[in-house]
Amino acid sequence: MRSLQHRALGIAALVVSGALVMAGCSSSTPGGDTSTPGTDTTTSTAPAVVTIYGTPTGDEQTQWENSWKGWAAANNITIQYTGDRDFGTNIATKIQGNSLPDIAVFPQPGLMQAAFATGKAIPLDATTLAAVQQNFTASWQSFGTYQNQQYAVPLDASAKGYIWYQPSQFTTWGVSVPTSWDELMTLTATIQSKTGNPPWCVGFGSGGSADGWPGTDQIAEYVLSADGTDFYNQWVAGTVPFTDPKIKDAFTALGDIWTNQKYVNAGFGGTSSIATTQFGDVAAPLANGTCAMTNQATFLESSFNSVKTAAGGTPVVGSDGDVWAFMMPPVAGTPSVMGGGDFAVAFADRPEVQKVMAYLASGEYANSLITVENATFLTANQGVDPANEKDPLLQEAIKTLADPTANFAFGAGDTMPSVVQTAWWKGMIDWMNGAKLDTVLGQIQAAWANA
């Protein structure tokens, strides 16, 4: 979920929109339980079973299950969750074969929109729709809208573009948090000069067919910051091609770090190791001091629970702790917020399914989500009380995500057609493996022809 340790755990390979559309155009009408998602005291009958299918596995799966466990028991509902790292590929197979879960949780809008086009998703009933309209901004609602109907409930969210570092190292080196991209590059050169080691650790691996996505996120962050939302949205829509000079400028700017042996890849090897280093593995060298900086979303915080500092302790996250993070400094203009999120979509219209969907849209669920023990979930639900989040970094991120005036943009790759996203992921790996940048940009742009 997109706490999204599973951006740590895997946005799986996504299929082209056309493959989903071919799955069929049959649709069902929503059953529509109009009750509120509060506690049901009637427990004399056997629990109703609702299946949910999504990307989180392992510890995050357990944490996600804990987020709804109490409510489900109180409402005599058994929620059976299945996590799958290759959700993107396998949800298409399930749609084509009519072997669908009651609820699927999509990790990005592009694939979700393709699923809507098959006609097999169930529009929100009146109760759930009212909760979504009350608790989420128009931009968040828009991601789950298809042909003027609302199908999706936003669940968790992620705020991307954080640069993680050790405050004590910055003090030792006599450097400070940069306030612009130029200052960030100066900081990079200064740390390299003072230490003689690469300052950055970078990993594009995702343990599956989604290898490359961490690099696409950082390219998108740069474009959004350098060129503004209007240009960014045109690029996402395909009006601005990947071969545009401004897009190439973004690749080149990040390439000044990623392709420089002096700047990467601390703790892992040379520049080519970026393609094979798993993105969550950057937490270990950051914690033990081998790596000075890494760019990753807030969900990286969960990875520090299983790594050690140089002194052998579990790293404390905080401005005066072992590790901390600052937002990527702006390239130009006012800083913007780029993030991601998960969306629940129903494929069954039974009353118990609609009741679960209504609960997932509620402020009650959002507050339960952010208070799961040992989890680092975020939400854009305006019904959440940020004070319930004790972690200072996540508390500020929640305020930003839930702010109706925030200039929020979804990750470009997550919003583009899945065939383009997949080509972009592959292009990042090809580039790190030595392919020429112009060739890579041309190949990514060519994927639009199949969108």
Side-chain angles (χ1 to χ4, degrees), residues 291-306:
C291 163
M293 293 183 289
T294 192
N295 182 325
Q296 192 51 270
T298 53
F299 57 73
L300 184 66
E301 183 171 6
S302 62
S303 298
F304 292 118
N305 295 327
S306 57

Side-chain angles (χ1 to χ4, degrees), residues 251-266:
F251 277 79
T252 301
L254 272 302
D256 287 343
I257 296 173
W258 296 337
T259 63
N260 188 331
Q261 296 285 1
K262 291 183 177 181
Y263 289 169
V264 294
N265 194 15

Side-chain angles (χ1 to χ4, degrees), residues 432-449:
M432 292 303 100
N433 284 332
K436 298 295 184 182
L437 178 56
D438 286 340
T439 300
V440 168
L441 293 174
Q443 289 174 341
I444 300 170
Q445 181 58 32
W448 274 100

Side-chain angles (χ1 to χ4, degrees), residues 165-177 187 191 293 326:
Y165 70 107
Q166 285 198 13
S168 61
Q169 285 186 325
F170 273 34
T171 299
T172 298
W173 297 326
V175 298
S176 58
V177 171
L187 173 66
I191 294 174
M293 293 183 289
F326 57 88

